[in-house]
Structure formats: C-alpha cells, structure tokens
Amino acid sequence: MAPKKAKRRAAAGDSGSSNVFSMFEQSQIQEYKEAFTIIDQNRDGIISKDDLRDVLASMGQLNVKNEELEAMIKEASGPINFTVFLTMFGEKLKGADPEDVILSSFKVLDPEGTGTIKKEFLQELLTTQCDRFTPEEIKNMWAAFPPDVAGNVDYKNICYVITHGEEKEE
C-alpha cells in the first residue's frame, strides 16, 4: 500500500482488519494496549519471541523452551503488532460457545430451574472434573461471582460474563 493511502486509512481509523477495534469498548482497548506495552519488552511495536521470553522471565517463568515460544508466536498470521494482538484476543473471545449453549449446560445442574447452583456443588465439580480449577482459580471465581447468603451462585450471570466479558447491568 502506498504511504499516502496508509496514512489516510490510519486517519480514518481503518486498521485493515475488518475493524477489530469495534469489537471492544475503549476501556478494554486501553487495557489491551497496556498489556501489549508490557509484553513488548524492547518497545519496537512488535511482540517477538525474545519479548515473550523476557516478560515470562519477569514473572518467574525462567526455563521456557524455544518450541513453546515459537508456538505462541505462530498463533499469529504475521508479526504481532498491536492490531494483530487485539485481533488475536477478539478471535479467542469469539471462540467461546454461544450464551445459550453455556446456559443449557448449567441448566442440567439445575433441575428445578432456579437459575442458581449451590456453591459447594459447583466448587466440587470445578475442582474434581475434567480441567480442574486450582485453589487460586476457585478463589478468583468466588471473588468475581460471590454466592448469595444461602450459598447459591447465579449461573446466568456467569454465562453472561463468559460470553460478553462484563457483568449485566441489573
């Protein structure tokens, strides 16, 4: 693309990716930008294998294999600039099952159709079945979705947050 055309497209807000920016709220874009800046350790505007190695090392993950880093980088179709980074997150979010499918899964655990599940029951399932939650993940779950005084968890809200990324306005 010619430089003038690129400047016009950039000024018009077109990043050439079916406008990934419209998928997110401005506050979310800012959070992703902050994350991108943290990961882009050498500040060249592209996330590289070395950037990933450095940021993982800063979080205590020291002996990460080259193959693992290469696999992460290969998830992108090309160099990972901010627009590609945002697109990757958009694709991951779109990869979640539709809300009605997730809701139906929870309804199997709620034969009376109350819209809630007992905290103890849900915690037991999450820590003993399939991809088990760690104690930290369980703690985060209850911080994000605290049970009511009777110990019930509103699974409809959980489904909404999984598919929309934020709590419903009551």
Side-chain angles (χ1 to χ4, degrees):
M1 180 181 333
K4 284 183 184 176
K5 199 175 209 178
K7 285 180 186 172
R8 264 188 266 133
R9 286 182 68 174
D14 182 359
S15 60
S17 63
S18 70
N19 206 1
V20 67
F21 293 92
S22 66
M23 292 175 60
F24 300 100
E25 299 289 324
Q26 192 59 43
S27 61
Q28 291 174 305
I29 292 171
Q30 185 57 42
E31 288 173 8
Y32 284 121
K33 184 66 174 170
E34 289 171 20
F36 180 86
T37 302
I38 291 168
I39 298 168
D40 182 20
Q41 293 279 297
N42 64 5
R43 304 292 186 258
D44 67 352
I46 303 288
I47 294 175
S48 67
K49 193 166 63 169
D50 289 334
D51 290 327
L52 289 176
R53 183 183 319 282
D54 292 346
V55 77
L56 288 168
S58 73
M59 296 186 310
Q61 297 264 338
L62 296 175
N63 298 312
V64 181
K65 294 179 181 155
N66 258 339
E67 296 80 40
E68 292 177 74
L69 297 169
E70 286 169 9
M72 289 180 210
I73 293 295
K74 284 181 181 171
E75 285 190 40
S77 56
I80 305 173
N81 61 21
F82 179 64
T83 303
V84 171
F85 182 76
L86 199 60
T87 301
M88 291 171 74
F89 274 96
E91 288 170 355
K92 295 283 185 196
L93 290 173
K94 275 199 291 191
D97 287 324
E99 187 174 3
D100 63 325
V101 171
I102 298 170
L103 201 54
S104 294
S105 300
F106 274 106
K107 284 181 180 177
V108 169
L109 306 172
D110 178 25
E112 285 119 39
T114 62
T116 63
I117 301 174
K118 286 288 183 193
K119 174 190 173 190
E120 292 78 22
F121 178 57
L122 185 55
Q123 183 166 323
E124 181 182 338
L125 288 174
L126 294 174
T127 57
T128 62
Q129 305 297 314
C130 298
D131 193 7
R132 297 179 178 130
F133 276 40
T134 64
E136 180 72 17
E137 289 170 323
I138 288 292
K139 181 180 155 206
N140 292 340
M141 170 96 170
W142 300 142
F145 307 105
D148 64 18
V149 291
N152 297 310
V153 179
D154 175 8
Y155 64 80
K156 290 179 181 178
N157 187 41
I158 294 172
C159 293
Y160 185 88
V161 172
I162 288 171
T163 56
H164 295 85
E166 57 190 61
E167 285 197 53
K168 243 190 264 193
E169 297 296 321
E170 299 289 329

